[in-house]
Every structure is written in C-alpha cells, then in structure tokens.
Amino acid sequence: HAKILVVDDNRANGLVLDMLLKRLGLVGHHCFSASEAVEFCRREIPAVILMDLHMPEMDGMEATRLLQSTVLKDHLEDVPIVALTADVRTEVRDACFAAGMDGFLTKPIRLDDLRAMLAQKLSHSEPKAPAEAVPTPPPPPVSQIDPEIADTIFGLADEPEIAAELKSMFREMWTDVEPNLQEIEQLISAGDDPTAQARCHRLRGVLANFGFRVAAEKLGKMETNLDALHAPGAAAEIRTGLRAAYTEILGLYPFLK
C-alpha cells in the first residue's frame, strides 16, 4: 500500500487521520513536526504528505519549503503535499500553493473529500475501503453535532481494539477541553487577544474533528472576531453546548462511555 505521511503537532488529529486512511485501505504515518517529517523522508519517500498549517515549531508552509529544498528536492513531481487547515480564506489557499503545496483540504476532514483528494494525487486508482469493512449509516441529525463527522470517526469501531483506541482518544480529548477553555479565558483577561485567538483556533480544530459542530463554530467566531472573543459569557455558552454534544455522542455511540 502507498504510505501517506501526516504532519500535525496534535495527536488527536493524527489519530483521526490514521483512522480515515485505514478506512480507505491506506497506510498512514504520523509526524508531530517538520523536523520529524524530514527525518522520516530521509528513510522513506511517502506517496503523499498531508500537512497541517498551524504548528508551533514551524508552520506547514515553511515545512513544505524545507522538505522540498532538502529531502524531497529530487522528488518534487512525485510527492504531492496537501494542506490541512480550518482557515478557508482565499489568501491562505493562495499562499499554500505559492509555498509549493499541491492541494488543500478543509478541516474537519470528511472521508469523501479525503478519498477524492487522494484519488487525484495518487498514481493508482481511487483508494477503496477494505472489502470486509461495512460502512455504518450516519446517525440522524442532532442539534449540537455534525453527524457525518461523528460517524466518520466513531463508526469505525467495528473491532474491539479500534473501539478501545477511539474511547481512549475521545476521553483524552474531553479531559483537555476544560483546561483549554480556562486558558482562553485567562488570556482574554490578561489582554493577550492574539494568543487567545490562536488557542481558539487550535481547540476549534480538535472539536470539529470529533463532530462538536456548534462549539467549533462559536470558537471560530471568537478566533476571527474580537467582539465575539470578548462577548460576556462566551465560554460559558460553549461549555453548555459541549455538555449537550457530549451527551448526544455518548447516546449514539455507547461504547465511548
């Protein structure tokens, strides 16, 4: 199978992409930074690189330039690099292509979008799920979550080992939510709006990947709009919505309890 390199500093995002790649019958490898990606490519040239744009050590555009000027300089036509970001602005997309990237996927990543992109970028035919995999029908729409995204992730739990990994990943994500919200509130109180908005972006991406649609949308507004960032009770409103979404997801996927 073609190996897909995922470069993302967030462990949960990497695990989600690994699950999606498995569903497509592909093999993924997760690197947490540009430097890790360089070392991986010294050992093995991947078929495609899925590159997060927002990473602390070096952003995705810088990482792309580094890879293409070093370990991939003899493979520029062979290894497409696809940007992964929740930022859908035209100028961001243009900057990605100017940096040498070959594609653009919007977070949260949907299975059909990933399948279509990889079918385009890989030389072989469109990747398909293993024959034994039976797609789980999406749950009915609910108020706080994106049922398609939730089922893309949690619908993979057809084997005990995968179910256990998803449960662990979900619990880890949920445990981190409240400390992240508290940090955002503290940064706002301290007047550090740019860092608060950066934290909103990061938390939004994680929540969107797990299908917490409404909370992710509210954080997206706080990320880009100072009035929304400083709106009274914004964090409390997000907490209320998160608890409702959490209950809904547990109701749809009892193995997560």
Side-chain angles (χ1 to χ4, degrees):
H1 291 296
K3 183 163 286 186
I4 311 300
L5 179 61
V6 177
V7 186
D8 193 315
D9 65 299
N10 186 283
R11 178 177 175 272
N13 291 345
L15 285 171
V16 167
L17 276 165
D18 186 55
M19 293 288 184
L20 295 180
L21 291 170
K22 285 179 180 176
R23 198 160 184 174
L24 295 174
L26 295 170
V27 178
H29 180 85
H30 184 198
C31 288
F32 290 88
S33 66
S35 58
E36 283 189 30
V38 169
E39 290 307 310
F40 176 85
C41 291
R42 289 190 198 280
R43 303 189 304 269
E44 181 177 350
I45 300 299
V48 177
I49 298 176
L50 302 177
M51 177 75 72
D52 182 45
L53 286 192
H54 298 279
M55 296 183 288
E57 174 193 306
M58 180 183 297
D59 69 34
M61 295 183 207
E62 292 177 288
T64 296
R65 287 189 282 264
L66 173 64
L67 285 165
Q68 292 182 336
S69 65
T70 55
V71 288
L72 296 182
K73 64 182 178 181
D74 296 326
H75 302 275
L76 297 182
E77 300 298 323
D78 305 326
V79 185
I81 300 179
V82 177
L84 307 177
T85 180
D87 195 334
V88 297
R89 291 176 296 166
T90 301
E91 55 266 36
V92 173
R93 184 184 296 262
D94 292 344
C96 289
F97 289 118
M101 293 178 161
D102 306 280
F104 192 95
L105 280 173
T106 303
K107 291 183 178 180
I109 307 300
R110 298 177 185 272
L111 184 64
D112 287 344
D113 293 340
L114 182 62
R115 178 188 286 115
M117 178 62 73
L118 292 177
Q120 177 187 347
K121 299 304 178 185
L122 292 170
S123 57
H124 57 69
S125 60
E126 179 175 346
K128 301 184 184 297
E132 66 273 13
V134 179
T136 305
V142 291
S143 60
Q144 289 288 328
I145 71 171
D146 184 324
E148 181 183 350
I149 293 296
D151 196 62
T152 295
I153 304 305
F154 302 120
L156 293 167
D158 50 0
E159 297 179 10
E161 288 186 6
I162 295 177
E165 186 174 6
L166 285 169
K167 182 177 180 178
S168 174
M169 183 172 67
F170 183 72
R171 285 184 170 180
E172 180 179 330
M173 178 278 299
W174 186 248
T175 300
D176 289 342
V177 166
E178 180 57 28
N180 276 280
L181 281 174
Q182 290 180 6
E183 182 187 14
I184 290 168
E185 289 176 309
Q186 291 165 3
L187 289 166
I188 294 171
S189 298
D192 190 352
D193 290 348
T195 306
Q197 288 179 306
R199 296 294 186 272
C200 286
H201 173 89
R202 183 180 179 84
L203 182 57
R204 172 170 72 105
V206 171
L207 291 174
N209 276 336
F210 285 92
F212 287 74
R213 176 182 58 81
V214 175
E217 289 173 354
K218 292 182 185 300
L219 284 163
K221 291 177 182 177
M222 293 172 67
E223 175 193 348
T224 57
N225 185 293
L226 287 176
D227 289 337
L229 185 71
H230 291 279
E237 186 178 345
I238 289 173
R239 285 188 179 92
T240 300
L242 282 170
R243 285 193 292 269
Y246 180 80
T247 300
E248 290 172 357
I249 287 178
L250 291 186
L252 290 166
Y253 306 100
F255 76 89
L256 293 171
K257 295 179 181 179

